[in-house]
Amino acid sequence: MAQLADNDIPAPEPPGHDALVQEIEAAQRGAAQRPGRPEAAPPAPPAPHDEEELQARFDAVIAADQKIEPRDWMPDAYRATLLRQLAQHANSEIVGMQPEANWISRAPTLKRKAILLAKVQDEAGHGLYLYAAAETLGVDRSQFLDDLDAGRQKYLSFINYPTLTWADTGALAWLTDGAAIVNQVPLCRSSYGPYARAMVRVCKEESFHHRQGFDALWALTHGTDAQRAMAQDAIDRWWYPALAMFGPPTRDSVHTEASMRWRIKRFTNDELRQRFVDICVPQAEALGVRLPDPDLRWNEERGHYDFTEPDYDELRRVIKGDGPAGRQRVAHRRRAHQAGAWVREASAAHAAKRRARAAADTAETGADIGVDIGVDTEESAA
Amino acid sequence: MSTADAAQWPLWEVFVRARRGLAHVHAGSLHAPDEVMALRNARDLYTRRGEGISLWVVPATQITASSPDERDPFFDPAADKTYRHPTFFALPEGVEHL
């Protein structure tokens, strides 16, 4: 992509970034190295229709820090919790394409435009990985999308805030994707196998999102006074929505206890929020921007930064769809889906036509000549 | 038209060969109307960063899997045959390359 090199100043690696990437890789190695040897397998022999035995077996797998896989028995509440979390997460990726897509046509350079396109395409991909993981639990993804369009399904609150300037794309990526990574890296070790595997892919790609946001802000903070002011203004507006992404404080969270016990989640909302603040402060210093919290300061005793918590009442309102751009986001998603109907219909019709032709050819020649799918047969024959 | 139209598309399991010398490994799944679209979508979904040089897509309904409920009896024949591992046999002191 040499032709896309432009006049930006390359940003250094954001402090704290490499630690998160290493954690993703460790989670991946951890899953791969799980011994498949009989002695490591959970003990209880199966008694397929005995609920207590099945529960004991499930508990043993969780206790041994092994993965639950799609066809394993699992408690109904575990399944319901996973579905709720996967749906909320997948929807956030799908609706989350919008705030930045808003700036694709107005990106300041070809390089930034190409990066933004790649990022938005990734978000669609993340939504699909997660819907695929959710479908292993026996739910159809169209159910999630219908619920989303009907406003029955929630997604991350920050998406309901508008992206007012170009700097918002940078601030949004640096702060909300940064918060997403802190939230999601521990999910690479989630107890549900398909979820954990999807999250490894998601997190690796999120690091690019996070990094490009930092890079876009770096270019602005090393630009003109007006560009610096624009970056600061965007950060002022995105800081608290990013903090709110970790959800209600643990004391008010209705789901934390069960999710932690089942190892779907590994840390409380408050622990993750604190971790995010601790990571952000040195990065903000490197950027030369101010985080909009007068009470933000290092607490020697705790070994963490003290900070002002986000307004949780506002969070609750925004999650319900009351954010400045809430109605717009869902309406846009519905409209885009309807506008794409002809593509889905055409591809279904084309597939049906090809099937019919292949069937006719088979009938005529008495042999299945297969369908030319235009792939390298040498490779595909493997 | 609701999203239910997409639901009628079959589910495909996607396998990716990362590079020459490696086997195809399961990467995930996706919905597509036919195998051509399944391959195209698999490329866009699972190899955006050069993760593969070859893709397989297999209709999920064509995969026959062993049942987790019968896992223990199913794999039991291998459980008590430790002599299939070379470490089963004690070697006299000093014997090498065996």
Side-chain angles (χ1 to χ4, degrees):
Chain A
M1 296 216 70
Q3 76 275 20
L4 295 185
D6 63 11
N7 54 358
D8 288 344
I9 308 107
E13 174 152 317
H17 180 267
D18 49 341
L20 286 168
V21 174
Q22 281 161 11
E23 203 171 311
I24 302 167
E25 281 162 6
Q28 196 175 19
R29 276 197 307 276
Q33 282 168 356
R34 275 283 159 249
R37 287 290 176 103
E39 62 269 21
H49 302 297
D50 181 341
E51 189 91 352
E52 261 175 48
E53 287 279 327
L54 290 166
Q55 178 75 49
R57 194 181 170 86
F58 173 86
D59 291 343
V61 172
I62 299 282
D65 215 356
Q66 295 205 344
K67 303 292 185 215
I68 301 296
E69 293 295 342
R71 298 175 70 212
D72 289 338
W73 181 89
M74 60 188 87
D76 290 342
Y78 177 84
R79 184 186 299 270
T81 299
L82 272 173
L83 277 174
R84 181 180 51 76
Q85 192 170 328
L86 278 163
Q88 195 258 19
H89 193 161
N91 291 339
S92 300
E93 301 283 359
I94 295 296
V95 188
M97 289 190 276
Q98 293 183 35
E100 285 159 304
N102 186 31
W103 281 93
I104 289 175
S105 62
R106 292 171 288 165
T109 67
L110 181 56
K111 178 180 112 175
R112 295 291 173 193
K113 186 175 193 158
I115 291 171
L116 211 49
L117 272 169
K119 178 177 190 293
V120 171
Q121 192 190 12
D122 277 351
E123 309 288 6
H126 297 176
L128 292 176
Y129 306 153
L130 291 162
Y131 286 135
E135 285 192 318
T136 64
L137 293 166
V139 178
D140 200 285
R141 88 176 160 186
S142 60
Q143 184 63 49
F144 292 129
L145 291 169
D146 286 343
D147 284 353
L148 174 63
D149 290 352
R152 286 188 297 266
Q153 229 5 299
K154 306 283 184 270
Y155 52 87
L156 282 170
S157 54
F158 80 86
I159 296 162
N160 282 345
Y161 292 86
T163 42
L164 302 178
T165 70
W166 165 250
D168 283 49
T169 62
L172 179 148
W174 174 49
L175 291 172
T176 67
D177 286 310
I181 293 178
V182 168
N183 231 341
Q184 292 170 5
V185 163
L187 298 177
C188 297
R189 293 189 293 129
S190 171
S191 62
Y192 188 56
Y195 192 19
R197 290 191 286 276
M199 288 316 299
V200 167
R201 298 185 64 86
V202 169
C203 285
K204 283 186 168 177
E205 297 178 358
E206 288 289 350
S207 330
F208 146 65
H209 301 177
H210 187 205
R211 194 70 176 266
Q212 67 83 31
F214 183 84
D215 190 80
L217 287 175
W218 180 271
L220 291 175
T221 56
H222 290 72
T224 64
D225 285 347
Q227 286 172 323
R228 265 191 298 278
M230 182 167 71
Q232 183 64 56
D233 169 62
I235 288 163
D236 288 347
R237 283 181 289 108
W238 285 98
W239 173 247
Y240 285 105
L243 285 188
M245 279 173 68
F246 295 92
T250 309
R251 61 179 183 274
D252 296 344
S253 170
V254 286
H255 302 299
T256 298
E257 192 272 328
S259 291
M260 300 271 287
R261 182 157 41 81
W262 285 324
R263 303 197 184 180
I264 294 173
K265 264 179 87 151
R266 297 270 175 169
F267 299 99
T268 66
N269 294 350
D270 291 338
E271 285 168 333
L272 292 167
R273 193 170 2 248
Q274 179 71 61
R275 187 177 180 190
F276 174 67
V277 172
D278 291 347
I279 287 174
C280 274
V281 173
Q283 293 180 354
E285 282 166 8
L287 281 173
V289 295
R290 181 172 29 79
L291 295 174
D293 180 358
D295 296 324
L296 184 70
R297 62 178 59 87
W298 180 251
N299 183 328
E300 192 67 52
E301 208 172 297
R302 292 198 309 126
H304 292 291
Y305 285 93
D306 289 339
F307 62 96
T308 307
E309 294 199 28
D311 178 348
Y312 295 115
D313 291 334
E314 177 177 325
L315 170 65
R316 268 181 280 276
R317 284 197 305 277
V318 175
I319 286 181
K320 287 197 184 113
D322 238 9
R327 257 179 297 270
Q328 198 187 333
R329 298 289 186 231
V330 174
H332 182 83
R333 145 74 217 162
R334 212 179 295 136
R335 205 164 50 238
H337 189 73
Q338 282 159 1
W342 72 271
V343 179
R344 296 189 297 277
E345 284 161 21
S347 56
H350 185 66
K353 187 178 75 182
R354 286 178 58 256
R355 265 195 306 277
R357 272 195 197 149
D361 285 346
T362 308
E364 211 169 282
T365 62
D368 187 355
I369 56 167
V371 186
D372 178 14
I373 53 174
V375 288
D376 175 354
T377 47
E378 187 200 348
E379 268 298 346
S380 59
Chain B
M1 181 183 268
S2 89
T3 42
D5 54 345
Q8 287 151 19
W9 289 355
L11 186 67
W12 302 78
E13 298 296 335
V14 179
F15 299 80
V16 180
R17 183 206 289 286
R19 52 177 192 274
R20 286 185 177 279
L22 295 183
H24 286 75
V25 174
H26 185 239
S29 56
L30 52 79
H31 287 273
D34 61 18
E35 68 279 10
V36 178
M37 288 302 291
L39 264 188
R40 299 274 183 269
N41 290 351
R43 176 199 59 195
D44 291 345
L45 193 54
Y46 292 105
T47 61
R48 285 196 299 281
R49 289 178 173 76
E51 292 95 332
I53 55 160
S54 166
L55 280 172
W56 288 349
V57 289
V58 181
T61 51
Q62 295 296 307
I63 293 178
T64 306
S66 62
S67 160
D69 291 342
E70 292 160 12
R71 191 190 66 184
D72 288 353
F74 189 74
F75 293 105
D76 185 52
D80 59 352
K81 297 180 178 60
T82 50
Y83 46 83
R84 282 178 167 157
H85 297 280
T87 47
F88 174 77
F89 304 95
L91 279 188
E93 193 83 18
V95 175
E96 286 178 38
H97 309 298
L98 193 76

